[in-house]
Amino acid sequence: MKTSVRAQLTQGVNLTPQLLQSIRLLQLTAPQLELELRQALDRNPMLEPVDDDEAGEADAVDTATDAELEAAAWDELPDPVFLSGGGTGGADDDACARIAAGESTDWRVRLLQELSFEWGDGALRQAQWWLDHCDDHGLLEGDPGELAREGAAALTTTAAALEAARQRLLHGAWTGVAAASAAECLLAQLASHPADATRSLAERMVGEQIHALAAHDNAALAHALGADADAVAAATALVLSLRPSPVEPPAAEDDGHVIPDVSVRFLGGQWRVALNGRATPRIRIAAHCEQALAHAPGDQSVLRGLLDEARWLVRGIAMRNDTLLRTVQVLVERQRAFLERGEEAIAPLTLREVADAIGMHESTVSRITSGKYIQTPRGTFELKRLFAVRLEGAAVSGAAVKAMVKRLIDAEPGHAPLADDVIAGLLARRGVRIARRTVAKYRDQLSIPSARQRCKPALAA
């Protein structure tokens, strides 16, 4: 064996405590941020609350500061994978340990932290690509083949390697993550059960008769699969024991109302976005403490450390608010038609388009919009609602078409409801060409029964 020495130049991101804190603050919801700031006020004497009633709302123009611009380099962090500490610092350097204690509210970050113990840097980047394209339940928001091709170009790898990483996620610790559909998620969970006749029949039920399974039609299942009633009942019980999605929604903790993070109003001929300053307490550096420390004799390293920590926190909050305002401003500009005309006018909009508009990464936009609410003249709802997937082959979003379907059904005569193919024909006249099965899918998502079930007998004269 021959020993050799080789020099290699690599480029990486140095995760400072300030950078990590900024990332963590970015993804906090309003209640979580309020708790974070109250805890900071309790443990750091260099901070004090701002008790000024005139600043109930902070306008976007007044939020940008020199401190934000100076610390804006935190967005150079390209992927959430770095939150795991993988690929930076020494082997014993746990990046997340340098942030204040607390578990991330983003399930993607928690999963990447778990994967960092077994996956290499390249594999983690591939995993992060798939997780960034999953919805809140862990299912993919797009076709796996198309996403693999896009990811191969973005990560300088092959589509086959990305698909292998997806399969590894699919059958990993969080079984079903990155599944293309609920059926694939169920099949991945079934694969972890012992191989027997019941599992085999359950796999056939999920793969071939998912609609009959959803309708709990055991007779139809038994006839279609050529199995007896007892075998179908056992396989159905096995499927019902599985999780419908790989990521379970968090337990409800709200008290019945939502406090919006931002608000939008139409003033002076334009839509204006403002932070809801009453959602969280405002803090600042205590001026008297800072002045006293500047003239204090002797070693004051502990107090100076607290002062630096307070400055980082205030700066991180300013950065978070600025990023939130800029993101919402773009969302409002792109969805102006929705705010003015309603659900049918919502335009197709993706995370990438918003990220390009504000000059940041998609993962940053995902973090800043998750769990944040906006108050509009059309109600208060989550920012994620302003994103919409473009309907294939059309210039409108699926959400807009769904609203059109609902309006047509709401306006139909009770004794002559519109069939799905009729609704598809009416939409085609407006330039929106969709298949009958797409109308049926939207109708199911709206919990609207079929035309036959909606039919009401005409009143006798």
Side-chain angles (χ1 to χ4, degrees):
M1 180 181 294
K2 183 179 179 181
T3 304
S4 61
V5 179
R6 182 178 63 180
Q8 184 177 2
L9 182 64
T10 60
Q11 185 177 10
V13 179
N14 183 23
L15 292 180
T16 63
Q18 303 96 305
L19 178 62
L20 290 166
Q21 184 184 55
S22 298
I23 297 168
R24 182 167 181 268
L25 290 173
L26 189 71
Q27 65 192 23
L28 295 181
T29 62
Q32 293 168 341
L33 181 61
E34 180 179 8
L35 178 61
E36 181 85 9
L37 296 186
R38 294 196 184 282
Q39 290 176 346
L41 287 169
D42 290 339
R43 68 173 178 261
N44 195 331
M46 297 295 171
L47 291 170
E48 65 178 7
V50 179
D51 298 324
D52 50 346
D53 296 334
E54 72 276 6
E57 292 182 345
D59 197 271
V61 179
D62 300 329
T63 307
T65 65
D66 294 338
E68 300 159 29
L69 299 177
E70 177 186 346
W74 66 269
D75 190 60
E76 294 176 6
L77 182 68
D79 301 317
V81 63
F82 286 96
L83 289 173
S84 65
T88 61
D92 298 326
D93 182 21
D94 182 4
C96 291
R98 288 179 280 161
I99 314 178
E103 189 179 53
S104 172
T105 58
D106 191 336
W107 64 267
R108 301 168 184 84
V109 176
R110 298 198 304 273
L111 177 54
L112 286 170
Q113 289 173 350
E114 293 183 18
L115 297 179
S116 66
F117 294 104
E118 301 177 2
W119 293 41
D121 292 347
L124 279 174
R125 286 182 178 275
Q126 294 173 359
Q128 185 272 334
W129 170 266
W130 291 114
L131 297 186
D132 268 0
H133 290 83
C134 289
D135 60 21
D136 292 338
H137 298 283
L139 300 178
L140 285 181
E141 294 182 313
D143 178 68
E146 183 179 345
L147 289 174
R149 289 189 293 271
E150 292 179 6
L155 301 179
T156 318
T157 185
T158 63
L162 268 174
E163 177 59 24
R166 188 178 81 88
Q167 292 297 325
R168 193 176 174 187
L169 281 172
L170 191 63
H171 299 281
W174 292 26
T175 308
V177 166
S181 63
E184 188 177 28
C185 172
L186 294 174
L187 289 172
Q189 295 178 61
L190 286 172
S192 64
H193 284 71
D196 55 19
T198 301
R199 190 190 96 172
S200 178
L201 182 58
E203 289 174 339
R204 290 183 59 197
M205 290 167 58
V206 173
E208 303 171 16
Q209 301 292 330
I210 188 69
H211 296 295
L213 179 62
H216 302 284
D217 192 344
N218 287 2
L221 286 170
H223 176 74
L225 299 174
D228 58 59
D230 292 339
V232 168
T236 301
L238 176 58
V239 174
L240 292 177
S241 69
L242 306 176
R243 290 177 285 106
S245 61
V247 179
E248 295 295 335
E253 297 179 355
D254 58 70
D255 54 359
H257 67 279
V258 172
I259 300 177
D261 298 83
V262 290
S263 62
V264 57
R265 292 179 294 181
F266 191 74
L267 297 172
Q270 60 181 338
W271 290 96
R272 296 183 178 273
V273 177
L275 283 175
N276 180 10
R278 297 183 178 89
T280 57
R282 298 180 62 202
I283 62 172
R284 64 186 175 193
I285 306 295
H288 62 283
C289 292
E290 189 174 17
Q291 294 174 359
L293 183 59
H295 302 91
D299 182 14
Q300 302 294 335
S301 57
V302 174
L303 292 178
R304 294 189 188 281
L306 290 173
L307 180 60
D308 289 339
E309 180 183 333
R311 287 171 176 166
W312 295 341
L313 180 59
V314 172
R315 185 170 299 177
I317 296 298
M319 289 167 53
R320 174 191 183 274
N321 292 343
D322 177 63
T323 304
L324 179 59
L325 279 171
R326 289 197 289 146
T327 301
V328 175
Q329 189 67 53
V330 172
L331 289 172
V332 169
E333 290 172 359
R334 299 291 179 90
Q335 298 295 5
R336 177 168 182 163
F338 161 71
L339 294 173
E340 294 175 353
R341 301 200 299 273
E343 196 78 31
E344 293 187 26
I346 190 167
L349 186 61
T350 63
L351 288 172
R352 179 178 298 178
E353 292 173 336
V354 177
D356 291 342
I358 65 175
M360 291 185 173
H361 193 266
E362 289 179 60
S363 59
T364 301
V365 177
S366 178
R367 290 190 187 98
I368 198 62
T369 54
S370 295
K372 312 298 191 305
Y373 287 82
I374 180 172
Q375 181 181 8
T376 75
R378 295 195 173 275
T380 300
F381 45 81
E382 195 172 1
L383 286 174
K384 290 285 189 181
R385 184 177 171 186
L386 295 176
F387 293 97
V389 179
R390 183 182 300 275
L391 189 67
E392 185 176 357
V396 296
S397 67
V401 177
K402 187 188 298 186
M404 296 177 191
V405 171
K406 185 178 186 303
R407 180 179 58 80
L408 289 173
I409 293 177
D410 289 343
E412 69 185 6
H415 64 281
L418 301 176
D420 293 342
D421 54 348
V422 175
I423 295 175
L426 293 174
L427 293 175
R429 295 181 183 178
R430 299 185 55 179
V432 180
R433 301 188 179 277
I434 60 174
R436 181 201 61 79
R437 63 178 179 274
T438 305
V439 176
K441 180 184 72 172
Y442 288 154
R443 180 172 50 73
D444 289 341
Q445 292 175 355
L446 293 167
S447 300
I448 298 176
S450 63
R452 184 174 60 181
Q453 294 172 317
R454 299 197 308 272
C455 184
K456 300 176 181 177
L459 297 177

